[in-house]
Amino acid sequence: MDDRNGRGRDRPAPTGARHSPPASFVEQANVTDDSIHEAFDEEWPTCWERAASLLEWDEPYDAVLDAEDAPFYRWFTGGRLNAAYNCIDRHLEAGRKTHAAIRWEGKQGERETYTYQDLSVAVDETAAALRELGVGEDDVVTVYLPMIPELPIVMLACARIGAPHSVVFAGLSADALATRMEAADSEFLVTCDGYYRRGDAFNQKSKADNARLALEQDVRTVVVDRLGDDLPHVLGDDEWDYHDLRDQYAGATVDPVPRDAEDMLFLMYTSGTTGEPKGVVHSTGGYLAHVAWTTHAVLDVKPADSYWCAADIGWITGHSYIVYGPLALGTTTVMYEGTPDYPDRDRLWEIVDRNAVDVFYTAPTAIRAFMKWGTEYPEKHDLSSLRLLGTVGEPISPRPWNWYRKHIGGGECPVVDTWWQTETGAVTLSTLPGIDDMKPGAAGPPLPGIEARVVDADGDPIEPGETGYLTLSRPWPGMARTLYDGDDRFREEYWDRFSDPDADEWHYFSGDTATVDEDGYVTVLGRVDDVINVSGRRLSTMEIESAITDVDGVAETAVVGRSSDRNGTDVYAYVSTEREVDPDDALRRRIVDSIEAAIGPIARPEEIVFTPELPKTRSGKIMRRLLEAVANGEELGDTSALRNPEIVGEIQAGRGDHD
Ligand code: PRX
């Protein structure tokens, strides 16, 4: 393949081992009818009514799918519903007021439980307060909060009044926040004074203040007081204290606003192939139906469960599988603010034990860390409550997969390796745990109703075992509807490459490479574009490069991914300086600072390699592929197209110094 075939290229193919779902699991599983794949095929697209039927609609839809304006598909057209009503009120009406909705575990060992009734009160009061501040239907509210209960409460309050939320991961920088608020024209912000990082108070509000300074629009800001006296703060103009507002509206009730199925529920920015983050638009009806259905069918969640997705709500995984999916089903969702290794490396297992967690969902990066730390940590706790394990976000190779199944799941829990993306909204490839055999290393077949094809550069399906591009050739309810900054970009990014509009044939391009085996199980290898996946987080190499070239003294740079046992991929930056500029540690520091200011600490390079020049083609294009090969210690292949081949040897020698 010609493209930059991202990390994971050398991953061992599935070993051929397969595991059937354990009988004890199948007996109680939500979905066990093995004709479901065929049934969905035959009944497509009406099969998706099974997902829609998990929700309560204020007005029924007229049609399941409207493909008239493909690739701008519309699902459950004419239907009206409210996401907050579906995640809260209907459970109250079903007599489940006292059932725990959210069990929160704070970084400092604090614990709070919100019953569905508590959640209802908090969401109503917050919705009333937001309305009073002027938030109207369709106004984008930006939420810049760490993993505290106010985060899902504010999201649901927005959903209740029909205001789309745009959650920005709390670890992103002031610049990143400003870029997203500006792109979304967002005039409302909910943030906090700060949060604890390894026991220390960390100031979040100053980042929010800096972002506001950079914005032209007026912004009304609500500040959650998380730290109290540990970090006193002063409220300025257009700023309100969240709890004061709540007190003002104590006991208020707000009717849920019925939204059209196609109305935007939220906006989520993610890294794309250019330096500009993409605002992915998700609908109310299709999205909620798809996340509820997959929480039920793939994660096997039941209302009585204690369910834990150990992700951050600042990314899509947390939106779909900490907030909307589990709450739509009326289960108890555990929410953890901290990290797996603080105060000790058994923290997650302590939480599983204490909350008798039935279903646990995490990322391969975390599993690789657990494996490195050793079995003594999970062994300290009773994990026998676990029934199902899931992973998401990156490829997982068979070794950590097997380790997870054996040492966390006691060999008795099915493991679902779920492939999906910010743009797909919900899981699209995975085994169904009560039906399909698992193959460690392969995500699995497409879910019922989803059609995945792995194709060559011409769009033709490839032979089993060969590497190709992963495409989805039928629409699905949770799919992104467009990009906030434009329909054209949406078509260009995802549809143009493999579709044939004249024949009305539409294939969604995921940006991933994959192989498929004889049984139709897909193994996802990595990205083909300028996106790298560091610890399951999507970063754009171009965004990092632009932060580096902003630094005085830097002439040029190329950022690539290097395979890493720990993070899946590490960020490697090759930098050439202007003449007369010393490539010293001070410059290195300035580069790191600039990246942290533009994006956040998550994009900090593992290594910055200074080089007098970057390898270039005769036409002056930087050969990133070659640098990627150098960073990964791989064969370089043909370098004859280079204008300056001698530089490669120098860079390789430089890399040797750093290893
Ligand atoms: O490369 C794939 C990888 O994560 C990308 C999507 O990232 P994001 O939009 O941030 O969403 C992450 C959580 C859904 C994909 O293009 N990815 C996600 N899940 C898997 C995966 N790669 C391999 N196996 C997976 N199970």
Side-chain angles (χ1 to χ4, degrees):
M1 295 181 63
D2 295 339
D3 288 80
R4 302 174 53 197
N5 175 2
R7 305 300 79 233
R9 193 173 357 201
D10 301 325
R11 250 175 92 228
T15 53
R18 30 188 327 153
H19 304 277
S20 308
S24 57
F25 180 87
V26 176
E27 264 167 34
Q28 60 76 61
N30 286 342
V31 178
T32 51
D33 177 358
D34 60 8
S35 66
I36 190 170
H37 284 282
E38 275 168 27
F40 265 62
D41 253 359
E42 281 163 18
E43 296 161 28
W44 198 90
T46 41
C47 54
W48 283 109
E49 295 206 63
R50 299 201 202 189
S53 71
L54 295 174
L55 306 179
E56 234 171 82
W57 296 77
D58 297 317
E59 270 178 46
Y61 44 83
D62 317 311
V64 172
L65 173 65
D66 172 1
E68 188 69 16
D69 198 18
F72 301 95
Y73 295 95
R74 303 168 71 234
W75 285 87
F76 309 120
T77 52
R80 293 189 87 81
L81 76 169
N82 181 280
Y85 174 85
N86 271 280
C87 290
I88 306 171
D89 308 49
R90 62 174 174 147
H91 307 313
L92 308 181
E93 291 160 14
R96 305 186 69 243
K97 283 186 180 173
T98 57
H99 193 77
I102 298 176
R103 279 196 204 283
W104 178 73
E105 298 260 352
K107 271 189 187 168
Q108 306 293 88
E110 315 95 306
R111 277 174 233 151
E112 279 174 26
T113 298
Y114 284 74
T115 62
Y116 274 95
Q117 176 66 20
D118 298 334
L119 186 60
S120 169
V121 169
V123 168
D124 261 345
E125 291 174 0
T126 307
L130 289 176
R131 255 200 191 150
E132 185 59 28
L133 289 191
V135 178
E137 219 178 317
D138 296 319
D139 287 341
V140 176
V141 177
T142 303
V143 190
Y144 188 48
L145 288 174
M147 285 285 285
I148 54 178
E150 288 79 1
L151 174 51
I153 289 168
V154 172
M155 290 163 71
L156 291 163
C158 290
R160 194 165 192 86
I161 57 175
H165 51 74
S166 166
V167 177
V168 176
F169 174 61
L172 291 186
S173 66
D175 279 7
L177 173 64
T179 312
R180 286 156 181 72
M181 288 191 72
E182 192 182 345
D185 217 359
S186 174
E187 296 177 345
F188 301 93
L189 173 66
V190 183
T191 185
C192 64
D193 51 348
Y195 54 91
Y196 295 105
R197 263 207 322 214
R198 299 197 166 261
D200 295 328
F202 173 81
N203 196 327
Q204 180 81 345
K205 183 163 183 296
S206 67
K207 286 200 291 176
D209 291 345
N210 286 336
R212 277 178 60 188
L213 286 175
L215 288 172
E216 282 184 10
Q217 70 254 41
D218 289 335
V219 176
R220 303 188 139 205
T221 305
V222 178
V223 182
V224 177
D225 188 352
R226 165 80 177 102
L227 297 179
D229 291 341
D230 283 356
L231 188 80
H233 65 276
V234 186
L235 293 176
D237 288 345
D238 274 348
E239 294 185 341
W240 288 264
D241 178 80
Y242 172 76
H243 289 285
D244 286 351
L245 282 176
R246 282 273 306 272
D247 287 347
Q248 232 172 294
Y249 289 93
T253 53
V254 172
D255 288 340
V257 174
R259 299 277 283 168
D260 188 281
E262 280 297 304
D263 279 343
M264 174 166 46
L265 177 60
F266 67 88
L267 186 61
M268 165 112 260
Y269 281 91
T270 188
S271 300
T273 46
T274 70
E276 283 293 295
K278 301 189 275 204
V280 174
V281 173
H282 279 294
S283 69
T284 306
Y287 170 82
L288 199 63
H290 193 173
V291 293
W293 161 250
T294 44
T295 309
H296 168 84
V298 178
L299 298 173
D300 196 54
V301 168
K302 305 176 170 53
D305 279 345
S306 170
Y307 157 82
W308 185 15
C309 168
D312 194 295
I313 296 175
W315 310 109
I316 192 71
T317 306
H319 277 53
S320 301
Y321 297 109
I322 300 177
V323 183
Y324 287 112
L327 295 178
L329 296 187
T331 193
T332 302
T333 181
V334 175
M335 178 178 169
Y336 174 48
E337 189 193 18
T339 50
D341 58 348
Y342 183 82
D344 204 349
R345 290 173 168 177
D346 66 337
R347 182 78 170 122
L348 301 194
W349 316 128
E350 182 200 324
I351 296 175
V352 168
D353 191 352
R354 183 170 44 249
N355 291 283
V357 169
D358 298 278
V359 175
F360 179 69
Y361 192 27
T362 191
T365 261
I367 299 167
R368 288 190 299 267
F370 306 148
M371 196 165 92
K372 203 169 120 221
W373 296 341
T375 53
E376 62 185 280
Y377 298 101
E379 278 165 8
K380 280 190 201 168
H381 299 278
D382 178 7
L383 306 183
S384 61
S385 57
L386 290 169
R387 183 176 82 238
L388 175 97
L389 301 174
T391 100
V392 57
E394 305 159 73
I396 180 164
S397 45
R399 216 160 71 85
W401 191 101
N402 284 313
W403 189 94
Y404 190 37
R405 178 163 173 269
K406 181 168 173 200
H407 296 290
I408 306 303
E412 287 168 13
C413 301
V415 176
V416 286
D417 174 357
T418 62
W419 177 89
W420 56 293
Q421 310 178 293
T422 304
E423 294 85 346
T424 68
V427 178
T428 37
L429 303 184
S430 170
T431 49
L432 285 173
I435 297 176
D436 300 318
D437 283 357
M438 298 162 266
K439 297 190 190 185
L447 290 182
I450 306 278
E451 190 173 271
R453 299 210 301 167
V454 181
V455 299
D456 64 17
D458 298 325
D460 296 321
I462 48 144
E463 292 295 313
E466 284 178 10
T467 300
Y469 304 99
L470 177 58
T471 65
L472 299 177
S473 28
R474 268 177 182 166
W476 63 100
M479 68 199 304
R481 295 304 192 261
T482 188
L483 293 177
Y484 198 72
D485 41 340
D487 291 349
D488 290 347
R489 192 170 169 207
F490 181 67
R491 281 180 74 129
E492 277 160 30
E493 292 261 351
Y494 306 109
W495 300 95
D496 281 356
R497 180 144 182 193
F498 291 113
S499 301
D500 181 356
D502 295 335
D504 202 21
E505 259 188 39
W506 298 94
H507 301 278
Y508 167 86
F509 179 39
S510 64
D512 280 349
T513 51
T515 63
V516 59
D517 71 10
E518 289 79 6
D519 300 325
Y521 277 53
V522 177
T523 292
V524 176
L525 301 170
R527 304 284 308 188
V528 288
D529 50 20
D530 294 317
V531 172
I532 52 179
N533 190 331
V534 180
S535 303
R537 281 166 185 171
R538 248 165 91 163
L539 300 172
S540 146
T541 54
M542 285 180 65
E543 228 180 314
I544 305 173
E545 286 171 4
S546 111
I548 298 176
T549 42
D550 277 351
V551 175
D552 275 350
V554 168
E556 269 188 323
T557 183
V559 167
V560 299
R562 170 181 151 131
S563 290
S564 141
D565 282 345
R566 190 165 44 120
N567 299 324
T569 313
D570 284 329
V571 175
Y572 255 56
Y574 292 91
V575 177
S576 70
T577 57
E578 285 166 0
R579 277 161 39 137
E580 318 297 332
V581 173
D582 267 347
D584 56 11
D585 281 346
L587 181 61
R588 197 169 259 137
R589 187 66 242 161
R590 294 212 309 277
I591 290 173
V592 171
D593 287 348
S594 175
I595 294 169
E596 293 195 0
I599 306 163
I602 55 165
R604 191 186 298 143
E606 180 70 18
E607 191 75 63
I608 296 171
V609 181
F610 288 116
T611 166
E613 280 175 46
L614 295 171
K616 287 191 179 166
T617 61
R618 286 175 215 285
S619 60
K621 254 184 98 184
I622 298 172
M623 290 261 302
R624 286 187 174 73
R625 262 161 65 87
L626 200 77
L627 288 168
E628 199 170 69
V630 172
N632 285 283
E634 288 165 3
E635 289 286 321
L636 298 187
D638 188 5
T639 57
S640 60
L642 283 183
R643 192 180 63 195
N644 52 353
E646 69 291 345
I647 201 69
V648 179
E650 284 184 42
I651 296 175
Q652 277 176 314
R655 180 183 165 257
D657 290 346
H658 293 293
D659 272 357

